[in-house]
Amino acid sequence: MIRKSRGLLLADFTADPLANYINNDPEPPIVRLSMAPSDQVTQILVDPNHACWKDRFDFAVIWTRPESAVPDFNRLLSGEPAALAELLEQVDQFVDRIKLAAERVPTVLVPIWTAPQAGRGWGLLDLKHPHGIAGNLVRLNQQLIDKLSEIDHVYPLDSTRWLASAGTDSSSPKLWYMARALFGNRVFMEAARDIKAAVRSMTEEAIKLVVVDLDDTLWGGILGDIGWEKIQLGGHDPTGEAFVDFQRALLTLKNRGVILAIVSKNDETAALEAIQNHPEMVMREDDFAGWRINWSDKADNIVSLLNELNLGAQSVLFIDDSKHERSRVRQALPDVLVPEWPDDRMLYASTLRNLTCFDTPSVSIEDTNRNAMYAAQKERARLQSEATSLGEWLVSLETVVTVRRLADVDRDRTVQLLNKTNQMNLTTRRLSAAEFATWAAQPDNHVFTLRVADNLGDSGLVGILTLTQQDERGHIADFVLSCRVLGRRIEETMLHLAARIGKQLNLSRVDLHYTPTERNKPCLEFLSRSGLNSGDDERSYVINIARGYALPEGIQLDESGL
Amino acid sequence: MSDSEKILQAIYGAVEEINPQLPPDQQLTKQATTVLVGDGAVLDSLGLINLIVTTEYQLQKTLGLSVNLTDPTILENPEATIATLGQLADTIAAQTDGEFDD
């Protein structure tokens, strides 16, 4: 059954169209956004017993007008002076009320303020004059953003982008006077898109890999026909500049932790020569974690790349100028995200930059280091191909697994891993940060994190082992391991650790019960070959504490943090 | 295509724009007989206002027509002016008689 995310919308103007846009959207994640009574934002925020809070929500959207959230802003709208210190103090008071909401829902989204009814304000002086409306609105929004950013799981949203996108349709005096609808349809549509993206980022895996075609995608022209010296790239040609800008947009994603790869029907030698030698190429060979440049089916090539990179199809975005190739990949790999791509090459960069699939609620060190990790992964694969046995290869890596009880500094990454890992995940339990914190605080629940490093690099925090203690029995609640370290015997190390922890807690056995999902079959396959005894049914396994579980050869364990 | 038909097409454009932001039971079918006011009407007041304002935008955008559909002579007697999509088109045609560019 598809889980619905439930949200509460608090607004001090008519915002029903926003709720309806979101509720009518059949694309996953399915979201049900309920409207709180309008014009009662403050009352609802400060009253924990208000009827609105009786239902359990996954998120809240709090969208206000500056003149209602910051009373002295009305003075500015009336052309009267208002003290900046007082205005900022009123912003802080508003943020204090948001904090109350953040205690009741796991995630709070707050569009920053706009004032479409203010028009040109003081005109030429509107940004410069101490009582200018636009200038003060910038200051209030800066204070709002700074203060909201200090609160965990509260996210300011850029509503100015929604208004810019709607253009002259962003607001209408008629809608305001007749229906108290502050914005036009387009603004609500853009807001709905961003709010859905925010919910998606909290419930689904973000895109980790972008696979691009080459001819007429990364550059203009058919390389095999014209040679790399003649491809359309940069120069004094508008379309060539557009391809350069598209490459820059891809590189920006790489710097944010998205990995890049190529799948192209081309001659590999000629393509790599173009990438290395063309003076206007922004991206070079090192920017790609892998490539399949040959004449084979692109869907097969993507599968081959995913196997090499240990990634699932749901974390991939495929970009190709050919609608036939897009159609083929969609049909063969429905989990791969294949956006419609414009025919106009000058729209490539803006199309990429406006995709919502890269949104994440947090950015961990592991995210930003992902490219370096995959470079190390490539080197591991090379060493593995040269080693005579798996054991020899693993020993040569000198892997160190560091385990420790959950530390505050690891909370965000732990929640991220818990909610984003699909393949090696025993129960696929999804919890918000607040829910996880509540669970972890229970005395019988134990949370351990694993970091993995070897002589090729540090993979960071990649594993979670959680256990609930019931008398002499332990139950593994989460057995989660990032796909980036699968197949390096970290899975077996986690079983060894579960046995060690069980002994420390004076347990006689630790049970693992596998909960199937569409994507976690690798976990069951691992358990079935782990040598553990089966439990009460074919999905249950038991670690006998007296017997223990052997630490795999070649793994060095640092358990000083246990 | 007659002026009324062109106007009706612009109204259908407005219907397409507002349907995604209406609850499913208020969404409109693109037919001249679709009821907007009175027995059989599905839109609430917010939906009706949104349709009217969006229709004004559509008329300006697609036909270059500037009309004021919130004029009291229209809204004070809606059963006689905007009871259906077809009647809305007729009301607009009467208001814009002779204003078409072509």
Side-chain angles (χ1 to χ4, degrees), chain A residues 14 16-18 20-22 24 168-175 178-179 181 185-186 189, chain B residues 17-24 27 46 49-50 53-54 56-57 61 67-70 75:
Chain A
T14 301
D16 303 51
L18 170 62
N20 289 327
Y21 272 125
I22 288 178
N24 290 341
T168 53
D169 293 349
S170 64
S171 67
S172 154
K174 289 191 178 189
L175 284 173
M178 296 176 76
N185 301 331
R186 284 286 306 279
M189 201 187 300
Chain B
E17 185 174 328
I18 70 159
N19 266 346
Q21 50 113 322
L22 292 171
Q27 292 179 2
L46 172 62
I49 290 164
N50 207 339
V53 173
T54 308
E56 287 183 2
Y57 283 135
K61 195 166 78 180
V67 294
N68 179 12
L69 299 176
T70 55
L75 290 189

Side-chain angles (χ1 to χ4, degrees), chain A residues 439 444-446 465-469 474-477 505 507 510:
Chain A
W439 188 88
D444 289 334
N445 295 336
H446 306 270
L465 190 63
T466 71
L467 179 146
T468 297
Q469 188 175 358
H475 301 272
I476 299 288
L505 296 171
L507 306 176
V510 171

Side-chain angles (χ1 to χ4, degrees), chain A residues 67 119 171 267 309 419 470 548:
Chain A
E67 58 268 43
S171 67
D267 177 77
L309 299 170
N419 287 304
Q470 277 183 320

Side-chain angles (χ1 to χ4, degrees), chain A residues 10 45 53 60 62 96-108:
Chain A
L10 291 95
L45 288 177
W53 301 116
I62 302 169
D96 285 343
R97 297 195 286 272
I98 302 279
K99 278 182 189 163
L100 297 173
E103 291 170 3
R104 296 173 206 139
V105 286
T107 301
V108 179

